Amino acid sequence: MRARRRRRRARTDGTQACLVDQERAILAELSRAQRGELAGLLRQLTAPFDNIPG
């Protein structure tokens, strides 16, 4: 059981690393102004989730 858990964790870690690399590649193509605009839009999009109880 522990070996299976370790394999799942390793696979998850690898997937996360891949997603972070892809995110960095996407953001690298944006200008500083575009990244700032994107950050503001994402804050607006996710703001309602900050007020969910629990």
Side-chain angles (χ1 to χ4, degrees), residues 8-44:
R8 271 196 314 252
R9 184 172 291 160
R11 187 176 18 210
T12 300
D13 290 347
T15 301
Q16 282 183 316
C18 182
L19 289 172
V20 168
D21 289 343
Q22 289 176 345
E23 180 180 335
R24 285 184 180 138
I26 291 167
L27 293 174
E29 295 182 19
L30 300 177
S31 69
R32 182 177 289 224
Q34 289 171 319
R35 288 192 308 269
E37 183 178 1
L38 177 60
L41 292 169
L42 289 172
R43 278 193 293 277
Q44 288 178 351

